[in-house]
Amino acid sequence: MIFGVDYYPEQWSPKDWEEDLGIMKDMGLTSVRLAEFAWGLMEPKEGKFDFSLFDAVLEKVGKAGMTAILGTPTATCPPWLFKKHPEISQISKEGIVRVVGTRRQACFSSPAYRKATEKIVTAMAKHFGKHPVVTGWQIDNEPGHEGSDLDYSPLAGINFRKWLKDKYKTLKKLNESWGNVFWGVMYSDWNEIPVPGAHVASDFSPSMIQDYHRFQSDELISYLKLQIDIVRKYSPGRALTTNLYPSPFLPITDMHELFGHMDYVSWDNYPVWGNQKEPYPHPLVSATQQYIRGLKDQNFTVMEQFSGVQGHDTLGYLPPPGQIGLWLTQAVTNGANQIYFFRYRTARFGQEQLCYGILDHGKRLTQKYFELQKTISEIKEYAEDISDQNYPAEVAILHDIENARNYKHQPLSDGLKFSPVPFAQVGYDIEIATWFAGTNVLNVNTHSFPASKDVDWNRYKVISLPLYTVFDDAVVERLSNYVKQGGTLVIGYRSGIKDQNQWIVEEPVPGRFREMAGVESYQFEAVGEDRVSVGMGIFPLKGNKFCEILEPTTASVVAKYTDKNKFYKGKPAITVNSYGKGKVYYVGTSLTPESFVLFYRKVLKEAKVPFGFLGKTIEKHFRIGRKYNYEILMNHSGKPRWAGFTRLKPFEFRITKINK
């Protein structure tokens, strides 16, 4: 288990470095991440490389008995590169040019940007690749963040048309696949095809937009693969990763495909950010951590762990004493085996001078420092014992990048729109997390996987699949076999009705799942944020976002709409169907988190999965270690809470050893 910190020695005087490393070691830290924004320092002029600053820093890191992860510095570009090649600037969907002075500005379709990247990464990898202190590399930094994996520049348009020609071969095939007979948009020359950017009213074809998202994903992955290949060549034996960020599906990039080229997954863990008045609910944070763990089905790294109030221009919630230590423990419990805190000391200047670190702008040791130091000491034995051990689970939630993209450009309901910042549309993320919350609040260890991932699904008693509108026949077939062999499948509204070209099938909802689910739906409405009453026996539930009126064929009714304001009061809302040796639940509405808890209580009980409700703020996990097994209780409330017969203080965690 490694505890480290993100360190920016270039922002401080060389006389600070040795003292800084000593302060880190006293806290219990043994590693640093360096250099992910240092291109302009390493190559101040084109072709003139200077690595002396980081040579000196790494020498001191080594003398301190610590290690380092180096970041390739391609998330920001030096001004000389923009001056020479102004065409490398990305252009947003709204037509805004991403100019020098910010970050994530460069177009992944730009030959000049790729050539410059190849030069700096090659020089850096040759210079540091076999350094004894360097144990690994972070490729780029938060790739795709701030909407940067969607570029509408002329260079992107050129490569998009090349990508389309490679995929479809002929315009006849492209016109057929996109349904261009609609509105008569029949392309007769590849150069007629635009990028689907800003528009006045009606949007571009869903088929075209989906292909554009696929293309942009491929562009980013190929750009990072360029760097990966270079670093692997000149830095053999060092592990490679890159750092993702909240929310999981903010980008349109296929992160599962990306990490097929890397050794492990990293994530930046900010349970609260900016002007939020309160943190994200703890099930959402756990859902994201399990998404990260599931991309490679292995433990992960937190490359930026919250250590102080964060924001670019506004600040909000201040975590009370104990909460940042609790968030650290939550990350370790969900499968993190390396934690790097962001950041060591808060920048006095620049765009992130409001992103507070372990220390503030000076060097006075803070309450944050002592809290994290204490937490590391308390959990270190436990963290070491479970490091690299499997996270056991009998329940899984499946997600799908094709559907995440689909719900960005066709969100279906105002309730599935959520844009916390202009470049983010994360309604799909919220729905996935809401489904996850049902099992998390019932304290059931739960995995989260891409639906297309090659995983033995038979190891799970229950699999849930929300918002699987765009289907893959191979996935549907695997799910069918899983249920036939005795598994329990829970699928959500609007499932199985769009093929990979974005054409809606002629079958009624749930399309490809009709036989499995034993139900059909011909009437439905989007209800946005309004709540609709649903009854499941004696339990009152609430639905929102979307409501389907279900017509069972072979299924039994589990819950009905009970809302007196709806003409479909008394009609089925949730059904269950026996299929082979297993069962398929079909949920025709988006349940609220509290309603999912009640619903999953029924599902888990029938599937013989142990669960227990300890209150909405109590999170419980079970971990297997080398020496012991563990029960972990976490109180995410600012008030004392009982977890069964255990009384937990505000933000307290309790780790109990269980003999094997």
Side-chain angles (χ1 to χ4, degrees), residues 477-593:
E477 182 64 25
R478 287 185 63 203
L479 289 170
S480 176
N481 291 333
Y482 163 77
V483 178
K484 286 178 181 177
Q485 294 172 37
T488 296
L489 174 65
V490 185
I491 54 179
Y493 59 96
R494 210 68 182 165
S495 287
I497 60 168
K498 269 192 176 187
D499 67 19
Q500 294 292 302
N501 286 330
Q502 292 277 297
W503 287 40
I504 296 180
V505 299
E506 295 181 0
E507 306 162 81
V509 175
R512 290 293 191 266
F513 293 101
R514 278 174 68 208
E515 181 184 353
M516 249 189 282
V519 69
E520 297 174 350
S521 177
Y522 296 89
Q523 297 184 86
F524 38 80
E525 70 169 336
V527 296
E529 295 292 348
D530 292 347
R531 297 200 167 189
V532 177
S533 297
V534 178
M536 186 179 69
I538 63 171
F539 295 108
L541 310 180
K542 290 289 185 181
N544 60 11
K545 300 174 185 172
F546 205 78
C547 293
E548 294 176 341
I549 304 170
L550 305 185
E551 299 183 17
T553 52
T554 58
S556 301
V557 177
V558 171
K560 296 180 179 181
Y561 294 107
T562 57
D563 200 301
K564 63 181 181 180
N565 295 316
K566 296 297 181 182
F567 74 89
Y568 44 86
K569 176 184 177 183
K571 297 291 185 180
I574 304 174
T575 59
V576 62
N577 189 50
S578 295
Y579 188 72
K581 297 178 181 178
K583 292 180 178 179
V584 178
Y585 287 88
Y586 187 80
V587 184
T589 185
S590 177
L591 296 175
T592 61

Side-chain angles (χ1 to χ4, degrees), residues 287-584:
T288 305
Q289 290 170 350
Q290 285 303 323
Y291 159 82
I292 294 297
R293 198 205 65 81
L295 287 175
K296 288 186 77 71
D297 196 13
Q298 66 183 39
N299 291 327
F300 58 92
T301 290
V302 178
M303 200 61 82
E304 297 182 13
Q305 173 73 21
F306 182 100
S307 63
V309 175
Q310 297 286 311
H312 281 170
D313 49 17
T314 58
L315 296 175
Y317 178 86
L318 174 66
Q323 194 166 33
I324 60 173
L326 179 66
W327 287 335
L328 169 59
T329 305
Q330 182 189 32
V332 171
T333 297
N334 271 297
N337 60 4
Q338 295 188 114
I339 301 275
Y340 288 78
F341 297 99
F342 185 86
R343 47 184 280 168
Y344 164 67
R345 184 178 169 194
T346 311
R348 296 178 60 204
F349 48 79
Q351 292 90 331
E352 293 189 351
Q353 62 183 181
L354 295 183
C355 292
Y356 280 77
I358 297 170
L359 304 187
D360 295 334
H361 297 97
K363 283 197 180 181
R364 177 181 175 275
L365 299 187
T366 61
Q367 181 269 333
K368 299 169 288 185
Y369 177 94
F370 292 114
E371 179 175 328
L372 290 173
Q373 181 187 54
K374 178 175 180 289
T375 305
I376 289 171
S377 175
E378 289 174 345
I379 70 172
K380 190 169 185 180
E381 180 184 358
Y382 156 68
E384 292 282 359
D385 197 27
I386 66 169
S387 178
D388 295 321
Q389 298 298 294
N390 289 333
Y391 178 94
E394 294 183 307
V395 176
I397 305 284
L398 304 184
H399 53 80
D400 181 68
I401 186 62
E402 290 289 348
N403 281 282
R405 294 166 180 158
N406 174 77
Y407 278 92
K408 287 184 187 299
H409 61 81
Q410 200 174 66
L412 186 68
S413 167
D414 284 346
L416 285 166
K417 291 181 179 179
F418 182 62
S419 295
V421 288
F423 55 80
Q425 175 54 263
V426 292
Y428 179 87
D429 307 52
I430 300 301
E431 185 74 356
I432 294 286
T434 302
W435 282 61
F436 186 95
T439 57
N440 182 260
V441 173
L442 289 171
N443 298 302
V444 175
N445 282 20
T446 304
H447 286 166
S448 182
F449 285 116
S452 59
K453 187 173 177 62
D454 185 15
V455 175
D456 179 11
W457 289 351
N458 291 320
R459 72 195 202 194
Y460 301 106
K461 291 182 178 178
V462 177
I463 291 178
S464 291
L465 180 61
L467 287 185
Y468 194 65
T469 299
V470 182
F471 65 86
D472 181 328
D473 280 320
V475 172
V476 175
E477 182 64 25
R478 287 185 63 203
L479 289 170
S480 176
N481 291 333
Y482 163 77
V483 178
K484 286 178 181 177
Q485 294 172 37
T488 296
L489 174 65
V490 185
I491 54 179
Y493 59 96
R494 210 68 182 165
S495 287
I497 60 168
K498 269 192 176 187
D499 67 19
Q500 294 292 302
N501 286 330
Q502 292 277 297
W503 287 40
I504 296 180
V505 299
E506 295 181 0
E507 306 162 81
V509 175
R512 290 293 191 266
F513 293 101
R514 278 174 68 208
E515 181 184 353
M516 249 189 282
V519 69
E520 297 174 350
S521 177
Y522 296 89
Q523 297 184 86
F524 38 80
E525 70 169 336
V527 296
E529 295 292 348
D530 292 347
R531 297 200 167 189
V532 177
S533 297
V534 178
M536 186 179 69
I538 63 171
F539 295 108
L541 310 180
K542 290 289 185 181
N544 60 11
K545 300 174 185 172
F546 205 78
C547 293
E548 294 176 341
I549 304 170
L550 305 185
E551 299 183 17
T553 52
T554 58
S556 301
V557 177
V558 171
K560 296 180 179 181
Y561 294 107
T562 57
D563 200 301
K564 63 181 181 180
N565 295 316
K566 296 297 181 182
F567 74 89
Y568 44 86
K569 176 184 177 183
K571 297 291 185 180
I574 304 174
T575 59
V576 62
N577 189 50
S578 295
Y579 188 72
K581 297 178 181 178
K583 292 180 178 179
V584 178

